[in-house]
Amino acid sequence: MKNNFKVIIPGFLGRREFLKTGSTFLTAISAPSALAAATFPQHMREPGSMDEPYGQPSKYERRTTRSSRGRSPAKISSSSYTPIDQQKGIITPSGLHYTIHHSGIPDITPNDHKLYIHGMTDRNLKLSICDLKRYPITGNFNFLECDGNSWAQGRMPNAVDMNCQELHGLVSGSEWLGVPVKLLLQEAGVKAKGKWVIAEGADSSTHARSIPIEKMMSDAIIALYQNGERLRPAQGYPMRLFLPGWEGNTSVKWLRRLEIVDVLAYTKDESRAYTETLPDGSIEGFSLRMGVKSIITHPSAGQQLPDKGFYEIQGLAWSGLGKIRKVEVSDNGGNTWHPAELQGPALAKALTRFSLPWKWSGQSARILSRATDEQGIIQPTHLEWKKRYYKGSYKHYNAIQTWYISESGAVKNVY
Ligand SMILES: Nc1nc2c(c(=O)[nH]1)N[C@H]1C(S)=C(S)[C@@H](COP(=O)(O)O)O[C@H]1N2
Ligand SMILES: [Mo]
């Protein structure tokens, strides 16, 4: 591609500079003749349509959807990915929240569903939805991420040609509200020997995990609401456990019982599925917290830059340990880094937006982002991450993502 202006190195701009020169990619017009009454479009000449009882996105946005990896050949497990490359902001619309179901979405009649709290208690409890709705509700804006998110980056020896959504879409952000588990456990009265709580779902996989009592007594909730409405069936209707900052599978959907026990259960889900193999062949289990991570969502793999010139680099960062302290961006493969602006509220265990105005010279570039959380933990490089796990491991992949922008403006995944 011909490059007919001076390349600015580095290509990052201050916000003021961006505003001053930022409109150079637009063509100026002389007179707004298209605004004259004679040229009013049809939708300004007659009234529009009526409201629907439950609103839908514009018909022109029908392509903004989850991408599905479909059901396994055994027609059992399924997953779908959030289009995070199109998400602006820290909230994923509920209908676009990623999903992982080990055995489909059960159809549960809320009035028939009960939550049992039993085991090492002073008294067992049986709670209906109606009972739960009488408790105080609490909660926060939080991310939820599957520990298998970004699996291709961990597993594949060479970077695969997948887009940002397919690579990293097993993460979403919502406002999750519900009843503090602590209140219910206090009411049941946990015996001194009770150290773990087995949470079990009412789907046919009877997904179950043992959760340390300390987490249950801190920020765990029985989530009833997501983004201002009752949970969607795919997200665990009529109720789910929600554990902020922890790997997605511990937030047990369609929750039906909490059993207080003294030793952890080693359910099939924790002895088989949710473990990682370390370089010496040993198995790491109960790696419950999600690490610090960031992804540039724009520009990102699968996108095509129309021309050289101004772009705002935008992305999302999060950490299971707390707040995001800083995000740095590089456009030269990590040789030099520039602080990005954290936008909006930087909430604990929540998606956090970052951005940085940038001028693309038209030459090939490697853009990266690197997040640091409030505990000072820095996102690892791809090679650092690989060293920590056995070859082909893919869970808890949180390494720095590099996007390669070719001279044609095509954006691709590289290591
Ligand atoms: N009962 C039950 N709970 C479950 C699952 C399941 O299949 N059954 N999937 C788990 C996994 S692996 C993840 S990552 C999250 C996904 O939640 P979401 O579908 O609301 O995104 O739910 C977890 N809770
Ligand atoms: Mo998951």
Side-chain angles (χ1 to χ4, degrees):
M1 196 192 233
K2 221 174 112 235
N3 185 13
N4 51 17
F5 66 86
K6 225 179 114 219
V7 183
I8 299 169
I9 299 172
F12 298 111
L13 307 167
R15 192 152 294 271
R16 276 249 221 75
E17 198 183 341
F18 180 71
L19 291 176
K20 232 175 22 198
T21 53
S23 61
T24 52
F25 55 84
L26 296 179
T27 318
I29 56 162
S30 45
S33 57
L35 298 182
T39 62
F40 278 180
Q42 198 54 30
H43 54 77
M44 292 182 73
R45 296 167 184 270
E46 59 185 38
S49 58
M50 303 299 283
D51 275 318
E52 304 156 67
Y54 196 102
Q56 297 296 316
S58 162
K59 64 183 179 194
Y60 303 107
E61 299 296 331
R62 274 193 191 134
R63 279 160 58 199
T64 305
T65 55
R66 296 188 281 225
S67 64
S68 178
R69 285 186 59 79
R71 291 195 154 201
S72 66
K75 292 199 179 346
I76 299 175
S77 63
S78 59
S79 55
S80 63
Y81 292 62
T82 293
I84 54 165
D85 50 322
Q86 307 206 47
Q87 177 175 322
K88 306 295 173 185
I90 64 171
I91 297 301
T92 309
S94 300
L96 295 177
H97 197 284
Y98 86 90
T99 63
I100 305 269
H101 317 303
H102 299 315
S103 54
I105 305 167
D107 180 359
I108 299 174
T109 314
N111 289 342
D112 297 343
H113 188 81
K114 303 285 179 286
L115 171 64
Y116 294 88
I117 300 184
H118 64 117
M120 296 182 156
T121 58
D122 294 335
R123 58 205 166 106
N124 297 334
L125 301 180
K126 174 178 153 188
L127 296 139
S128 66
I129 303 289
C130 190
D131 296 331
L132 284 170
K133 282 185 170 173
R134 294 180 61 182
Y135 284 84
I137 59 167
T138 175
N140 261 305
F141 296 93
N142 289 125
F143 74 84
L144 185 67
E145 185 181 20
C146 179
D147 70 348
N149 193 23
S150 320
W151 59 270
Q153 302 298 80
R155 177 180 279 179
M156 303 303 196
N158 302 308
V160 288
D161 186 12
M162 283 164 55
N163 66 28
C164 182
Q165 174 175 13
E166 294 162 335
L167 286 167
H168 303 297
L170 293 180
V171 64
S172 300
S174 289
E175 185 186 29
W176 295 98
L177 296 180
V179 180
V181 174
K182 184 182 177 180
L183 278 186
L184 303 177
L185 292 185
Q186 281 171 342
E187 195 160 332
V190 175
K191 294 241 193 299
K193 270 166 57 188
K195 292 286 174 254
W196 294 84
V197 181
I198 304 170
E200 186 184 85
D203 49 340
S204 63
S205 83
T206 54
H207 178 75
R209 294 255 11 205
S210 320
I211 312 296
I213 197 96
E214 294 78 20
K215 180 68 172 175
M216 290 302 219
M217 297 301 270
S218 63
D219 57 358
I221 60 169
I222 307 295
L224 300 172
Y225 304 95
Q226 179 190 8
N227 297 334
E229 60 183 3
R230 292 281 280 122
L231 300 182
R232 298 283 171 102
Q235 263 66 56
Y237 186 87
M239 63 172 86
R240 85 181 298 167
L241 183 62
F242 188 81
L243 302 183
W246 282 27
E247 54 183 28
N249 69 76
T250 60
S251 286
V252 175
K253 300 191 278 191
W254 314 293
L255 185 69
R256 71 177 203 122
R257 67 185 187 98
L258 296 175
E259 181 182 351
I260 292 85
V261 292
D262 51 355
V263 285
L264 62 88
Y266 284 112
T267 66
K268 69 177 189 324
D269 300 287
E270 49 208 16
S271 57
R272 181 192 64 87
Y274 299 109
T275 59
E276 302 83 49
T277 311
L278 301 180
D280 66 358
S282 63
I283 304 289
E284 182 179 78
F286 297 89
S287 32
L288 299 162
R289 266 189 314 222
M290 297 307 290
V292 59
K293 188 162 172 178
S294 70
I295 300 289
I296 294 175
T297 53
H298 175 87
S300 64
Q303 294 177 355
Q304 170 71 44
L305 302 189
D307 202 355
K308 64 191 166 210
F310 293 97
Y311 291 91
E312 186 179 58
I313 290 182
Q314 300 166 350
L316 294 169
W318 62 96
S319 166
L321 280 168
K323 292 180 186 167
I324 290 296
R325 182 194 289 166
K326 70 171 173 189
V327 178
E328 298 152 293
V329 170
S330 168
D331 68 349
N332 54 15
N335 290 332
T336 53
W337 295 91
H338 301 265
E341 187 186 333
L342 298 187
Q343 293 190 311
L347 301 168
K349 305 172 191 174
L351 297 182
T352 301
R353 290 189 286 138
F354 67 87
S355 70
L356 192 61
W358 179 61
K359 194 167 191 176
W360 179 44
S361 67
Q363 296 176 329
S364 65
R366 285 170 171 258
I367 56 169
L368 297 70
S369 65
R370 174 173 76 183
T372 305
D373 68 19
E374 66 177 316
Q375 304 216 12
I377 298 175
I378 304 171
Q379 202 179 347
T381 64
H382 179 71
L383 286 177
E384 285 166 352
W385 188 91
K386 293 289 277 187
K387 273 196 205 129
R388 199 183 169 302
Y389 296 100
Y390 189 73
K391 199 170 136 230
S393 283
Y394 65 93
K395 300 227 166 107
H396 284 271
Y397 185 90
N398 68 329
I400 292 169
Q401 170 68 56
T402 306
W403 301 130
Y404 175 76
I405 304 176
S406 69
E407 288 188 4
S408 70
V411 190
K412 283 207 153 36
N413 173 35
V414 291
Y415 293 155

